[in-house]
Amino acid sequence: MEEKNKAQSRRKFIQNGVRASLLLSLGVVSASALRRVTTGEYVWQIDPFKCTQCSRCATECVMSPSAVKCIHAFDLCGYCDLCGGYLKPDSNARSTAAENQLCPTAAIERRFIEEPYFEYHINEELCIGCAKCVAGCTSFGNGSMHLQIMHHICVNCNECSIARLCPSDAISRVPASEAYKVKGSWTNPA
């Protein structure tokens, strides 16, 4: 009889242990789901007002080519014939010839609208995030071109290798709902 009680108590002990471990794992899963719902997903973001066009986005990203691409804010663009983001400062002519283009991969496409206006589109597949066009647009234009991390390409590393080396601290983690900061006005929003 004593052996039967021992067997029952062992059985109860094992059942209680299994129940406790199931409750604990259910609690962990629930807490994880609750934390994900309340905190939301975070992504890496470049603040275009802090970016200094250092070109590290092209070389330091773990993706090849970089997940950082140029974005063009059309509402700021002057649609100039002489675009500082498209043409080299010392170019011989205002043409689409390769020797006149600032972009090393020809990622900027220039389209004629009407005399003397052109529209500039960024080919995301060709853009390597070198920031040459952004620096040119900022120096000789109105700053309508800027860099942005493309979240459909980015692997969202726990520690972004670009953010770690960014000299101006322009890259930070933000909620996915506030993912893209685009230059849509002349001043930094408060």
Side-chain angles (χ1 to χ4, degrees):
M1 180 110 171
E2 194 176 301
E3 197 172 302
K4 194 174 187 182
N5 282 340
K6 273 186 175 179
Q8 274 188 332
S9 65
R10 259 191 249 142
R11 185 174 294 139
K12 279 210 183 263
F13 177 76
I14 291 171
Q15 285 176 345
N16 288 340
V18 168
R19 285 185 186 133
S21 65
L22 285 173
L23 283 174
L24 181 64
S25 63
L26 183 61
V28 169
V29 168
S30 297
S32 174
L34 182 62
R35 184 172 36 128
R36 190 173 279 176
V37 167
T38 57
T39 59
E41 184 180 343
Y42 281 79
V43 293
W44 291 104
Q45 162 69 52
I46 297 177
D47 186 339
F49 297 102
K50 289 183 177 179
C51 180
T52 58
Q53 304 90 34
C54 66
S55 76
R56 291 185 181 166
C57 290
T59 57
E60 299 300 330
C61 185
V62 297
M63 301 296 294
S64 181
S66 176
V68 175
K69 306 293 180 189
C70 179
I71 298 293
H72 191 203
F74 289 102
D75 58 338
L76 292 179
C77 185
Y79 299 94
C80 304
D81 181 21
L82 182 60
C83 175
Y86 181 75
L87 296 170
K88 289 180 182 176
D90 59 347
S91 62
N92 294 331
R94 294 181 192 165
S95 71
T96 58
E99 67 269 8
N100 297 327
Q101 292 183 31
L102 188 60
C103 182
T105 61
I108 303 173
E109 298 168 357
R110 176 177 161 148
R111 298 178 189 158
F112 179 74
I113 298 175
E114 65 182 30
E115 198 59 46
Y117 301 110
F118 288 87
E119 194 170 74
Y120 301 91
H121 293 271
I122 312 299
N123 184 336
E124 188 178 293
E125 292 178 12
L126 295 177
C127 182
I128 58 172
C130 68
K132 288 182 180 183
C133 59
V134 178
C137 184
T138 304
S139 298
F140 303 108
N142 52 18
S144 62
M145 293 182 183
H146 58 278
L147 294 178
Q148 202 51 260
I149 297 172
M150 295 297 151
H151 298 119
H152 64 281
I153 301 171
C154 179
V155 293
N156 206 15
C157 304
N158 288 333
E159 183 181 8
C160 178
S161 59
I162 305 168
R164 191 178 61 234
L165 297 170
C166 181
S168 61
D169 291 327
I171 302 174
S172 60
R173 284 283 243 194
V174 297
S177 60
E178 304 166 14
Y180 294 104
K181 288 184 184 176
V182 178
K183 281 185 173 179
S185 66
W186 294 101
T187 59
N188 191 350

